[in-house]
Amino acid sequence: MGFMNGDSLRNRKNGFETMDGGKSTPPRKKPSGKIYGIIAAAIVILIIAANSTYEIKEQEQAVLITLGKAQAVTTSGLHFKIPFIQQVRKVNTTIQGFSIGYNENTNETISDESLMITSDFNFIDVDFYVEYRYSDPVKAIYASSNPLAILKNISQSCIRTVIGSYPVDDVLTTSKNEIQAAIRDMILAKLETQDIGIQLVNITIQDSQPPTAEVMEAFKAVETARQGKETALNNANKYRNEQIPSAQAEADAIVKAAEAQKTERINEATAQVARFNSMYEEYIKNPAVTRQRMFYEAMEDVLPGLKVIIESPNGDVQTIYPLESFTGSSSGSGNSNSLGGYSNAGNQYNSSVDRDNSEE
């Protein structure tokens, strides 16, 4: 049997049939159409299942398109759709950005974007970085074919407009924050008009410098001089702050001394007025004696060594000023005699004068 099988195999290879008509090998069975149907149905089910669900991540939003009608889907997670009828397009809603004036990957300058002219007709290279996000996925997909290109064109236009209104010194040094705020406000206003579903988050100046090395050195010298000016101003303010308190204290001392002198003079004048009033009261009581006393006091001040001697007609000699004590000794304290002493002397003087007048 084995010989016959081998012979039959050899004959078939040579194109001959065996004597028994090839009945030694059973014929193969073809697969039925039922199996093909099951396989096809399984494939269709898998395709339908794969196209009936979609997933939205936290940083994404989706647009569900049903027969050309768009609807935003903002909640994250797993969602269902009708296969082949509904389509889904996803939009990344995280903050993204692009550079203006330089290549973000190679950090090379792009002159067409960075080179600008200022209000004082100076050229300057300014680099910016723009941050944005998609705020409305439906408008971001259908309002324009390329909203990012529109945002970049608007940004470049606003940047050149604002930079052209500032002098070069302000762009390089002191007004960067002001320039950024002005550009941002202008871009936001234009995006609101365009309404393309994209939102500006922030725009910042990355770098600003003159376009050539010679101009850059000149601006560095200007910046050094400006810093020197600020240092001098700070030193001057420091000196002023140090000197003002001491000068204020000195002024306060002068004012207080003047007030004290004012008070002293007022008190002295008040005392003199009081003395004058008291003297006037005595003068009213006895004008002649008081007037004579005032005369003696004036003589005492003018001629401290003055001595007044009166000789009567009968030959009596009496010292009127300075007054002598009753003991007969010369009184060294005649300047401090009381009003009564002056009154006695005055009475004696008056009596002698009256006698002289009677004799005549």
Side-chain angles (χ1 to χ4, degrees), residues 68-322:
K69 183 179 180 181
Q71 178 184 358
V73 181
T74 59
T75 56
S76 60
L78 187 64
H79 299 267
F80 294 93
K81 68 183 181 66
I82 302 173
F84 308 110
I85 297 178
Q86 292 181 324
Q87 296 178 356
V88 176
R89 294 182 64 178
K90 297 180 182 180
V91 176
N92 186 356
T93 58
T94 58
I95 296 177
Q96 305 174 67
F98 60 85
S99 59
I100 296 177
Y102 68 100
N103 190 317
E104 190 175 356
N105 297 323
T106 61
N107 205 26
E108 294 181 355
T109 300
I110 304 175
S111 299
D112 294 340
E113 297 180 356
S114 64
L115 187 60
M116 305 178 193
I117 188 169
T118 59
S119 63
D120 51 357
F121 305 104
N122 285 299
F123 289 96
I124 187 173
D125 282 329
V126 188
D127 301 333
F128 288 85
Y129 190 78
V130 180
E131 295 177 291
Y132 68 93
R133 61 182 293 270
Y134 291 103
S135 57
D136 191 329
V138 176
K139 292 180 181 178
I141 294 175
Y142 287 100
S144 63
S145 59
N146 193 347
L148 190 58
I150 295 175
L151 174 60
K152 188 170 184 178
N153 291 334
I154 291 175
S155 300
Q156 289 180 335
S157 174
C158 295
I159 287 170
R160 293 185 181 278
T161 301
V162 175
I163 293 295
S165 64
Y166 281 84
V168 65
D169 290 341
D170 293 346
V171 178
L172 289 174
T173 56
T174 58
S175 299
K176 289 184 178 180
N177 293 333
E178 183 179 346
I179 291 172
Q180 291 176 174
I183 294 173
R184 184 174 184 273
D185 294 340
M186 189 177 295
I187 294 175
L188 288 175
K190 290 190 176 183
L191 284 179
E192 186 177 356
T193 303
Q194 296 291 332
D195 195 18
I196 56 176
I198 195 169
Q199 177 185 1
L200 177 69
V201 177
N202 195 17
I203 182 168
T204 55
I205 297 177
Q206 298 296 102
D207 190 18
S208 58
Q209 60 184 4
T212 61
E214 292 80 4
V215 178
M216 188 179 299
E217 291 298 327
F219 276 107
K220 287 182 179 178
V222 172
E223 181 64 20
T224 302
R226 181 178 289 106
Q227 292 177 357
K229 171 186 174 182
E230 293 178 355
T231 302
L233 288 175
N234 293 334
N235 292 334
N237 291 330
K238 179 182 177 181
Y239 178 76
R240 181 189 66 181
N241 295 333
E242 291 175 352
Q243 294 298 319
I244 286 179
S246 60
Q248 188 66 39
E250 184 176 356
D252 292 341
I254 293 173
V255 170
K256 290 181 179 179
E259 290 178 351
Q261 187 175 5
K262 168 187 172 183
T263 304
E264 180 181 358
R265 291 196 175 185
I266 290 174
N267 295 335
E268 182 179 356
T270 303
Q272 291 179 357
V273 170
R275 287 196 299 270
F276 178 81
N277 290 335
S278 62
M279 185 180 297
Y280 181 73
E281 293 176 357
E282 295 297 329
Y283 178 82
I284 293 300
K285 295 177 182 178
N286 198 341
V289 174
T290 305
R291 185 167 53 250
Q292 192 174 16
R293 174 183 175 178
M294 293 173 64
F295 170 76
Y296 291 151
E297 288 179 350
M299 290 297 102
E300 181 182 6
D301 294 335
V302 175
L303 300 172
L306 176 64
K307 187 173 183 180
V308 179
I309 300 174
I310 297 177
E311 181 179 0
S312 61
N314 56 7
D316 295 333
V317 178
Q318 185 177 3
T319 302
I320 301 301
Y321 186 83

